[in-house]
Amino acid sequence: MSSQNIYILGIESSCDDTAAAVIHNGRILSNIIANQKIHEAYGGVVPELASRAHQQNIVPVVHEALKKANITKEQLHAVAFTKGPGLMGSLLVGTSFAKSLAFGLNIPLIDVNHMQGHILAHYIDEDGFNKPPFPFLAMTISGGHTQIVRVDDYFDMTVIGETIDDAVGEAFDKSGKILGLGYPAGPEIDKRAKLGNPKAFKFTKPKVDGLNFSFSGLKTGILYFIQNETQANPNFVEENINDICASIQYTIIGILIDKLKLAVKQTGIKHIAIGGGVSANSGIRQALKDGEQKFGWTTYVPKFEFTTDNAAMIAIVGYLKYLEGDFAEKNVAASARLKI
């Protein structure tokens, strides 16, 4: 893209992970993430606790990112940060730190949309991973978002479908809570699903017009199913946990693939990219690969470490914006409900 030696620091603090990454001409030199284990005890992210943890973590995380990249802060050309969407308290920590650092170094500040980060993570230079050509369809699936986005250029994106209630990650976590699994439940359901029969139990898919999603009805259906079965057999969940997880995951994947098939039919675009934490799910990844044979799709799945919330995806967006000279004003503010 550019023959210059450009170093960008990316900072991500939209939810419960404090992350910093350094990118050099499109290639990641470091990608440091500090996870917050404190939320596991509460079965979900507690915003106030997340904000406090970000304040504790952000300086050492940035320091480690620079150290691992083997550069000094004076070599940075710009600082990119997550403007939104996310938890306001968490966003404020990253925003304030990025603004102060950029101002102190007298270098450009670049604001990044978190959801664009998930999509543009595909453009990180990484051996063995292809970059989707424009136009392509991106499905962003995470704990807070479920969207299908038409991508015509780096910053020309149109949301053509999204959830009207729960996100797919919430569907996994709430189902896991019903089953007595820990938080986050997605990885545990994925692990158990590999050991179970995906067609053991049938759950109804919500009927939603167009390309939008709904998962709240599925969660309610699972709750009633478990309540009815445990009345007849108190050990039902324990005896059938793998089959239940496999059936839940099979249903959720079916909802996602059905909407993707419709999106491909409506747009004529057969290049499909996924992003977001839930794209780490092995069942979803396999279903997309199967779609290449069944439906003639070409699918793009990012490197595992770039799927969940991370600063590498913020850094690549910062790099692309830097090349276009698209910088933020010093008075830029965080936005919890920022749209693509």
Side-chain angles (χ1 to χ4, degrees), residues 11 19 31 50 68 73 75 119-120 143 179 198 243 257 271 288 290 297 316 325:
I11 295 172
N31 188 30
K68 188 174 180 182
K73 62 182 182 295
Q75 289 176 264
I119 295 171
L120 295 178
L179 298 176
D243 285 348
I257 296 299
H271 290 276
L288 279 173
D290 292 344
W297 299 347
I316 185 62

Side-chain angles (χ1 to χ4, degrees), residues 12 39 52 78 91 102 104 130 140 142 144 151 171 178 185 205 207 217 232-234 245 287 292 334:
E12 155 62 19
H39 305 286
R52 293 179 185 180
L91 291 167
N130 295 324
T140 54
S142 66
V151 186
I178 293 167
K205 295 179 185 177
K207 290 183 172 62
N233 175 11
C245 287
E292 293 189 331

Side-chain angles (χ1 to χ4, degrees), residues 56 67 111 116 163 172 188 207 213 251 289 309-310 315 328:
Q56 293 174 337
K67 182 181 176 183
D111 59 312
Q116 286 185 337
T163 183
F172 276 112
E188 183 68 16
K207 290 183 172 62
F213 300 86
T251 305
K289 282 297 174 188
D309 288 353
N310 66 90

Side-chain angles (χ1 to χ4, degrees), residues 169-333:
E170 291 175 288
F172 276 112
D173 288 336
K174 290 178 179 178
S175 297
K177 190 171 185 178
I178 293 167
L179 298 176
L181 302 178
Y183 173 87
E188 183 68 16
I189 290 176
D190 188 20
K191 183 173 75 173
R192 292 183 176 276
K194 295 174 184 176
L195 306 174
N197 176 9
K199 297 184 180 179
F201 307 107
K202 184 175 177 60
F203 299 109
T204 303
K205 295 179 185 177
K207 290 183 172 62
V208 184
D209 291 337
L211 297 175
N212 286 338
F213 300 86
S214 172
F215 291 100
S216 64
L218 174 64
K219 172 204 65 182
T220 304
I222 292 168
L223 175 63
Y224 290 158
F225 169 78
I226 296 299
Q227 287 176 341
N228 291 335
E229 293 295 336
T230 51
Q231 280 183 349
N233 175 11
N235 298 319
F236 175 77
V237 172
E238 184 180 346
E239 293 171 359
N240 298 276
I241 186 66
N242 293 337
D243 285 348
I244 297 169
C245 287
S247 300
I248 290 172
Q249 181 158 297
Y250 179 78
T251 305
I252 290 174
I253 291 172
I255 293 169
L256 296 175
I257 296 299
D258 285 348
K259 292 296 184 178
L260 268 182
K261 285 162 61 179
L262 182 58
V264 170
K265 182 179 179 181
Q266 289 185 2
T267 63
I269 299 170
K270 290 193 173 185
H271 290 276
I272 312 289
I274 61 168
V278 181
S279 65
N281 180 283
S282 64
I284 292 174
R285 287 176 170 234
Q286 187 58 52
L288 279 173
K289 282 297 174 188
D290 292 344
E292 293 189 331
Q293 298 294 323
K294 290 180 182 177
F295 314 120
W297 299 347
T298 303
T299 59
Y300 304 85
V301 180
K303 190 176 180 181
F304 188 85
E305 69 175 286
F306 302 147
T307 55
T308 53
D309 288 353
N310 66 90
M313 68 183 196
I314 305 305
I316 185 62
V317 179
Y319 175 63
L320 294 170
K321 281 193 164 188
Y322 184 89
L323 294 179
E324 295 188 4
D326 185 1
F327 306 140
E329 298 293 332
K330 289 293 191 285
N331 63 352
V332 62

Side-chain angles (χ1 to χ4, degrees), residues 52-188:
R52 293 179 185 180
H54 282 305
Q55 289 177 316
Q56 293 174 337
N57 292 338
I58 194 159
V59 172
V61 164
V62 169
H63 176 76
E64 183 63 24
L66 292 170
K67 182 181 176 183
K68 188 174 180 182
N70 198 28
I71 67 167
T72 65
K73 62 182 182 295
E74 286 76 19
Q75 289 176 264
L76 293 171
H77 290 77
V79 178
F81 70 97
T82 302
K83 177 181 178 179
L87 301 174
M88 180 54 84
S90 296
L91 291 167
L92 285 172
V93 176
T95 301
S96 301
F97 183 90
K99 289 168 72 171
S100 301
L101 183 60
F103 183 75
L105 294 172
N106 194 29
I107 57 176
L109 181 68
I110 301 173
D111 59 312
V112 174
N113 183 303
H114 179 85
M115 301 311 296
Q116 286 185 337
H118 278 305
I119 295 171
L120 295 178
H122 288 274
Y123 292 94
I124 294 171
D125 288 340
E126 192 70 35
D127 295 338
F129 290 84
N130 295 324
K131 300 173 183 177
F134 301 116
F136 67 91
L137 297 177
M139 186 170 70
T140 54
I141 43 179
S142 66
H145 299 87
T146 304
Q147 297 178 327
I148 298 177
V149 182
R150 177 183 172 127
V151 186
D152 289 291
D153 207 339
Y154 294 124
F155 301 107
D156 184 4
M157 303 182 185
T158 307
V159 177
I160 59 175
E162 60 188 336
T163 183
I164 59 174
D165 42 57
D166 290 349
V168 65
E170 291 175 288
F172 276 112
D173 288 336
K174 290 178 179 178
S175 297
K177 190 171 185 178
I178 293 167
L179 298 176
L181 302 178
Y183 173 87
E188 183 68 16

Side-chain angles (χ1 to χ4, degrees), residues 2-19:
S2 172
S3 59
Q4 285 184 273
N5 281 320
I6 298 170
Y7 294 96
I8 307 287
L9 173 68
I11 295 172
E12 155 62 19
S13 68
S14 65
C15 191
D16 61 333
D17 293 325
T18 314

